[in-house]
């Protein structure tokens, strides 16, 4: 077990926040995990944090415990039937590398989720989603190590309470488990999801005649590269807030008062575009020191260089308060705060 002490996490989180970890240990096997949780350094669940790609985390202070860097690797198709491939990926695999593997083998279902940063192990955490597809649509099961009981549990779809950017791992079991691997149920015959306008437009630009999972993935990659700030250039963790989901009645009242409000149907409710609420409150392009609200994407908070985590958090708090006061809507943070 190789322990690093008092190290900077700046290169381990896409916000580029210079918080420090008391201890930092990488693991690439179950044995290594057991060694860590049985060592004298390990205190409890709350003082240990599993880190994937650090693309959905904001460190507001130094981490007074062990950061466990996940390096578990391996992807294999473990089973197939007439309709599906069951593909198991280790939690430390890069998410986009996994998507590329699926494209190469014609496993359909994750093409709309191309180029999402981070690791496989975090994909069920917030039921990652983009362009009309969520992990729950392809999720079969996962195995996870319980840090306190030191046992391995298997979770199937119904055990995970997947919701909009939510799961049992982000709430009820926060910090309890280390996700070891995830098995996805991918289709042999693809079902295409091109209902998000940007995809249709990009497929036209690309002059695509016949749809397949490879060109949908390429369309998503093109849109994301053009629209989203690259964390390698400007620190960010993607959407900082979730899109609020409200009842139809609440929506009708808001729509009367704010006819330009942007919203989409969401099951029996309505999903508001948080970016519109934030932009309408005047935050888009706002900057105080090195903490800011991105100039093209109001939902994305950014670190222009040397912002501290608590400066980004304070900015997020001001945004929450102003949206609350203007629209009576409480924005929820999507990013995990530590
Ligand atoms: P981390 O940030 O390392 O961790 C996030 C949380 O999960 C932490 O609480 C951590 O402790 C926990 N965790 C991580 N791995 C494990 C594990 N193996 N076991 C237990 N707990 C674990 N998200 C979307 O849903 N859709 C998008 O389209 C999207 N686009 C993005 C675009 C950009 C530019 C950026 C920067 C982020 C975007 N995100 C998006 C957010 C982020 O990429 C995803 O949430 C991603 O799944 C986070 O993965 P990660 O490995 O970086 O997780
Ligand atoms: P966009 O296409 O400009 O759309 C703005 C918002 O409207 C999105 O948040 C999306 O909700 C919603 N929307 C648009 N078309 C919709 C439709 N046909 N049906 C239902 N909802 C619709 O958004 P964007 O910022 O460029 O992002 C594109 C996609 O990538 C979105 O799915 C977004 O969630 C995802 N993304 C996520 C993150 C993150 O960190 N979580 C970061 C960047 C991009 P949804 O968000 O519910 O899809």
């Amino acid at each position: 077990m190789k322990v690093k002490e008092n190290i900077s996490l700046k290169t381990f989180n896409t916000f580029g926040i210079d918080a420090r970890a008391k201890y930092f240990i990488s693991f690439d096997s179950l044995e290594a995990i057991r060694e860590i949780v049985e060592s004298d350094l390990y205190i409890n669940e709350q003082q240990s944090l599993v880190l994937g790609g650090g693309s959905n985390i904001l460190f507001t202070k130094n981490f007074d415990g062990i950061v466990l860097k996940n390096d578990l690797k391996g992807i294999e198709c473990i089973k197939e039937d007439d309709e599906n491939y069951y593909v198991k990926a280790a939690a430390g695999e890069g998410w986009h590398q996994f998507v590329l593997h699926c494209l190469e083998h014609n496993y359909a279902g994750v093409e709309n989720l191309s180029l999402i940063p981070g690791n496989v192990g975090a994909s069920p955490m917030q039921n990652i989603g983009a362009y009309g597809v969520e992990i729950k649509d392809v999720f079969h099961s996962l195995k996870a190590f319980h840090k306190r009981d030191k046992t391995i549990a298997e979770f199937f779809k119904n055990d995970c309470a997947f919701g909009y950017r939510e799961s049992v791992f982000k709430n009820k079991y926060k910090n309890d488990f280390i996700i070891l691997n995830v098995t996805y149920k991918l289709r042999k015959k693809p079902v295409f999801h091109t209902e998000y306008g940007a995809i249709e437009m990009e497929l036209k630009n690309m002059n695509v005649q016949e749809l397949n999972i490879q060109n949908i993935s390429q369309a998503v990659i093109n849109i994301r590269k053009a629209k989203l700030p690259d964390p390698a250039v400007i620190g960010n963790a993607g959407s900082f807030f979730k899109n609020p989901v409200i009842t139809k009645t609440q929506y009708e009242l808001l729509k009367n008062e704010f006819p330009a409000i942007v919203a989409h149907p969401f099951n029996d409710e309505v999903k508001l575009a948080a970016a519109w609420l934030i932009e309408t409150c005047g935050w888009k392009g706002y900057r105080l020191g090195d903490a800011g609200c991105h100039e093209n994407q109001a939902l994305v908070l950014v670190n222009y260089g040397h912002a501290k985590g608590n400066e980004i958090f304070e900015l997020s708090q001001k945004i929450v308060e102003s949206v609350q006061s203007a629209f009576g809507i409480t924005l929820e943070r999507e990013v995990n705060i530590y």
Side-chain angles (χ1 to χ4, degrees):
M1 186 168 88
K2 213 166 142 202
V3 184
K4 292 181 185 161
E5 283 187 50
N6 189 27
I7 78 151
S8 169
L9 296 170
K10 192 174 167 69
T11 57
F12 294 102
N13 69 99
T14 60
F15 255 126
I17 300 296
D18 195 8
R20 303 189 84 79
K22 188 170 183 187
Y23 303 113
F24 185 97
I25 311 174
S26 300
F27 61 89
D28 60 7
S29 66
L30 183 57
E31 294 67 43
I33 294 175
R34 288 194 189 281
E35 196 187 346
I36 297 165
V37 297
E38 276 158 18
S39 76
D40 293 342
L41 298 182
Y42 185 83
I43 300 169
N44 58 34
E45 299 83 74
Q46 306 314 322
Q47 281 168 278
S48 65
L49 160 69
V50 190
L51 193 61
S55 64
N56 205 13
I57 270 189
L58 177 67
F59 289 107
T60 55
K61 51 185 179 303
N62 292 336
F63 191 78
D64 185 25
I66 312 175
V67 168
L68 300 158
K69 180 78 180 77
N70 183 348
D71 283 335
L72 297 168
K73 298 287 180 204
I75 303 177
E76 61 171 323
C77 180
I78 52 171
K79 186 175 110 176
E80 68 177 274
D81 55 30
D82 289 349
E83 290 177 4
N84 299 102
Y85 297 105
Y86 296 78
V87 184
K88 183 167 101 176
E93 287 287 344
W95 172 258
H96 186 61
Q97 281 64 42
F98 172 69
V99 172
L100 292 178
H101 180 97
C102 293
L103 294 171
E104 196 185 321
H105 291 82
N106 270 318
Y107 305 152
V110 287
E111 52 281 1
N112 288 45
L113 304 175
S114 297
L115 217 61
I116 297 182
N119 287 1
V120 160
S123 66
M125 286 292 299
Q126 71 159 16
N127 179 26
I128 56 168
Y131 301 102
V133 174
E134 295 177 322
I135 260 318
K136 73 169 171 43
D137 304 328
V138 292
F139 181 89
H140 175 265
S141 59
L142 66 75
K143 288 208 173 137
F145 178 83
H146 193 278
K147 291 191 231 167
R148 196 173 47 249
D149 298 350
K150 303 184 177 65
T151 51
I152 292 176
E154 187 164 23
F155 289 79
F156 293 91
K157 198 164 164 174
N158 287 341
D159 306 320
C160 297
F162 287 127
Y164 183 59
R165 307 285 190 268
E166 282 299 342
S167 79
V168 80
F169 304 104
K170 206 172 171 179
N171 293 307
K172 186 173 160 195
Y173 296 141
K174 193 170 169 66
N175 291 328
D176 286 353
F177 286 96
I178 300 176
I179 295 172
L180 302 170
N181 57 60
V182 184
T183 300
Y184 303 93
K185 184 178 170 185
L186 298 156
R187 288 174 177 273
K188 292 191 167 176
K189 196 166 163 236
V191 174
F192 302 123
H193 294 278
T194 56
E195 61 276 15
Y196 273 47
I199 297 194
E200 288 284 4
M201 262 163 52
E202 184 55 27
L203 289 167
K204 270 201 192 110
N205 285 344
M206 289 162 58
N207 202 16
V208 166
Q209 306 296 328
E210 202 178 323
L211 273 186
N212 57 41
I213 58 174
Q214 287 77 14
N215 52 38
I216 290 185
S217 166
Q218 193 56 53
V220 169
I221 289 172
N222 295 350
I223 303 165
R224 294 186 76 105
K225 281 191 170 162
K227 270 190 87 170
L228 287 170
D230 178 355
V233 179
I234 181 167
N236 75 86
S239 305
F240 199 89
F241 301 101
K242 294 183 201 169
N243 288 323
V245 175
I246 60 173
T247 64
K248 283 181 180 160
T249 317
Q250 281 173 303
Y251 171 67
E252 288 309 328
L253 291 171
L254 276 174
K255 177 90 181 151
N256 274 341
E257 207 176 335
F258 307 99
I261 197 164
V262 179
H264 295 272
F266 186 82
N267 303 325
D268 284 342
E269 300 183 296
V270 178
K271 182 182 65 182
L272 300 177
W276 185 88
L277 303 173
I278 297 168
E279 189 177 346
T280 305
C281 288
W283 290 104
K284 193 172 174 180
Y286 174 89
R287 175 173 178 172
L288 181 65
D290 272 353
C293 180
H294 193 258
E295 51 190 3
N296 302 324
Q297 291 278 346
L299 208 46
V300 179
L301 299 192
V302 291
N303 173 9
Y304 284 102
H306 297 97
K308 296 206 163 38
N310 58 7
E311 292 169 338
I312 307 257
F313 186 81
E314 279 159 23
L315 172 58
S316 77
Q317 191 54 31
K318 287 184 191 159
I319 294 175
V320 169
E321 284 163 15
S322 87
V323 167
Q324 177 75 47
S325 127
F327 303 104
I329 298 285
T330 310
L331 287 181
E332 253 185 80
R333 292 175 184 84
E334 178 177 309
V335 170
N336 298 277
I337 312 292
Y338 285 92

